[in-house]
Amino acid sequence: AGPISSFYCHLYFYFLVTSGILCVSFIPVISRLMEVHVVNTFLSPGGKSKEVLGILWNIVSLVNFGQYIAMSTIVICIFWRTNYRIFTVADGR
């Protein structure tokens, strides 16, 4: 495994992590569970800090979405422009 293969593996791992964070950001069930089990434990219900935290979470979600769009476009362009082929299980047959 050379440096190009290592680069692709790191890029793929980063893409998976970013996709997971994006899913967590926009799935309402997860955010509601976080609010019920985590936020209400540490903050008083109906407090001003809870509203600020909600706005901050929305901003972080939108910034992550913009970054995801940029990174997924870059990944597609990198794979499209390179002729590097990763050896897969299907190639071993």
Side-chain angles (χ1 to χ4, degrees):
I4 292 176
S5 179
S6 176
F7 169 75
Y8 281 125
C9 288
H10 283 94
L11 192 62
Y12 184 66
F13 178 75
Y14 174 77
F15 194 70
L16 287 177
V17 169
T18 306
S19 300
I21 292 171
L22 187 68
C23 289
V24 168
S25 299
F26 288 105
I27 294 177
V29 172
I30 294 174
S31 62
R32 287 186 186 124
L33 287 173
M34 288 289 289
E35 181 180 348
V36 168
H37 296 291
V38 177
V39 175
N40 287 339
T41 304
F42 297 106
L43 301 174
S44 62
K48 190 75 171 168
S49 56
K50 196 171 173 183
E51 291 177 20
V52 172
L53 189 62
I55 293 170
L56 183 64
W57 179 255
N58 287 337
I59 290 171
V60 167
S61 298
L62 291 174
V63 167
N64 188 36
F65 184 61
Q67 177 263 348
Y68 180 81
I69 290 171
M71 287 307 296
S72 62
T73 304
I74 290 170
V75 167
I76 290 169
C77 288
I78 286 174
F79 279 114
W80 178 60
R81 303 254 320 154
T82 59
N83 292 329
Y84 185 73
R85 181 180 159 99
I86 297 176
F87 186 78
T88 63
V89 175
D91 296 329
R93 294 180 187 171

